[in-house]
């Protein structure tokens, strides 16, 4: 049972344009959502997060939007840079879950010159 | 600040052999996690320790996988005997102890150990 889904395995964007990565979840008990970025041969690194009591969180070029009614969140990167090329994982946790994260399958972002 | 250390980085073994992975978390991080990431999938939590106690091992295949964190610092994950489907990257992560409910603490990941079972 895949509780966190990233339906686009890959995304290609031109440098300077906006990248939008999407994530859907099924478990209504999730109350915190995170995005991790992963380069080849490295572990995932934390990028940005959002609590379920908010609908938007912004950090520099990165913004995460949460639509609770649709059980959907998205990560916007603007402007996209070549160094953003990586795999992006969406993850979720729930209150009382002991900090356990449930990850999606990831989206490979390629930012082209 | 030193990050999460893992060794070895790569391991190739034959099925039915045993293998062990080592993880040293960030100093002061009470919580340690082992994840399995199969190619094309997201990381899946195998076991979570808080200090030297197990918090969650519900997804650990206990007939062949074992893990310990005896002194509440570094940890080892063992597979015995290995199967072909164990081929994956094994990630270790650590975080601070969560003192307030609701907000998860950021997990810091090591580089992982890529295991190939032939």
């Amino acid at each position: 049972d895949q509780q966190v889904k990233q339906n686009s395995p890959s995304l290609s964007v031109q440098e300077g344009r906006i990248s939008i990565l999407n994530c859907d979840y099924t478990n209504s008990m999730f109350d915190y959502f995170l995005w991790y970025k992963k380069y080849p041969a490295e572990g995932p690194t934390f990028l940005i997060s959002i609590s379920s009591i908010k609908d938007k969180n912004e950090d520099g070029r990165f913004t995460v939007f949460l639509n609770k009614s649709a059980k959907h969140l998205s990560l916007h990167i603007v402007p996209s840079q070549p160094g953003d090329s990586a795999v992006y994982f969406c993850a979720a946790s729930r209150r009382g879950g002991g900090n356990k994260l449930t990850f999606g399958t990831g989206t490979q972002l390629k930012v082209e010159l | 600040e030193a990050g999460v250390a893992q060794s070895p980085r790569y391991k190739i073994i034959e099925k039915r052999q045993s293998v062990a992975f080592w993880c040293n978390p960030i100093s002061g991080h009470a919580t340690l996690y082992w994840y399995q990431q199969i190619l094309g999938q997201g990381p899946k939590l195998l076991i979570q320790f808080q200090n030297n106690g197990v918090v969650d091992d519900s997804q650990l295949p206990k007939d062949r996988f074992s893990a310990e964190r005896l002194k509440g610092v570094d940890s080892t994950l063992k597979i015995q005997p290995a199967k072909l489907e164990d081929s994956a990257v094994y990630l270790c992560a650590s975080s601070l102890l969560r003192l307030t409910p609701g907000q998860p603490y950021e997990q810091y990941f090591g580089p992982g150990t890529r295991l190939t079972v032939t």
Side-chain angles (χ1 to χ4, degrees):
Chain A
D1 175 28
Q2 191 71 28
Q3 298 185 64
V4 179
K5 303 176 184 179
Q6 293 176 258
N7 293 320
S8 298
S10 64
L11 175 68
S12 186
V13 171
Q14 280 196 319
E15 181 182 12
R17 305 294 290 266
I18 185 171
S19 296
I20 301 176
L21 295 91
N22 294 304
C23 178
D24 297 292
Y25 62 97
T26 58
N27 190 339
S28 56
M29 297 296 290
F30 288 143
D31 64 349
Y32 215 85
F33 304 90
L34 306 90
W35 285 93
Y36 278 79
K37 176 179 178 180
K38 185 181 184 305
Y39 291 117
E42 296 183 12
T45 55
F46 170 75
L47 190 58
I48 192 169
S49 64
I50 188 167
S51 165
S52 60
I53 62 173
K54 296 185 178 181
D55 56 17
K56 177 183 175 180
N57 188 28
E58 193 171 351
D59 184 1
R61 297 186 297 114
F62 303 91
T63 303
V64 56
F65 295 92
L66 176 62
N67 182 335
K68 280 185 64 178
S69 61
K71 293 190 177 67
H72 176 84
L73 62 154
S74 61
L75 174 68
H76 292 212
I77 307 172
V78 56
S80 301
Q81 299 174 355
D84 296 329
S85 297
V87 177
Y88 289 79
F89 290 100
C90 172
S93 72
R94 61 176 181 82
R95 181 182 293 272
N99 215 40
K100 175 180 176 178
L101 294 180
T102 300
F103 283 85
T105 52
T107 296
Q108 172 76 59
L109 172 66
K110 183 176 180 182
V111 180
E112 300 173 317
L113 297 173
Chain B
E1 178 182 82
V4 177
Q6 288 189 248
S7 67
R9 293 294 310 274
Y10 304 92
K11 190 74 178 179
I12 301 174
I13 62 171
E14 295 183 351
K15 60 183 179 183
R16 290 188 288 275
Q17 286 187 321
S18 63
V19 64
F21 312 125
W22 175 82
C23 172
N24 192 27
I26 293 173
S27 178
H29 281 194
T31 310
L32 184 147
Y33 316 78
W34 282 103
Y35 288 86
Q36 179 192 58
Q37 185 182 6
I38 293 172
L39 187 64
Q41 299 181 21
K44 182 184 82 171
L45 180 69
L46 292 176
I47 189 167
Q48 176 181 342
F49 292 94
Q50 191 157 293
N51 296 310
N52 60 352
V54 175
V55 174
D56 184 346
D57 63 357
S58 57
Q59 299 192 87
L60 186 74
K62 298 180 186 64
D63 57 335
R64 298 183 301 105
F65 286 64
S66 64
E68 59 183 15
R69 192 185 185 200
L70 293 176
K71 296 182 180 179
V73 180
D74 58 347
S75 174
T76 55
L77 175 70
K78 297 179 182 177
I79 308 175
Q80 183 180 8
K83 293 185 175 181
L84 295 176
E85 59 260 36
D86 299 331
S87 293
V89 174
Y90 290 84
L91 295 162
C92 179
S94 70
S95 70
L96 294 170
L97 180 65
R98 185 172 70 170
L99 299 176
T100 56
Q103 180 170 344
Y105 274 98
E106 177 184 343
Q107 296 184 23
Y108 295 81
F109 285 81
T113 297
R114 179 175 296 279
L115 173 68
T116 303
V117 182
T118 62

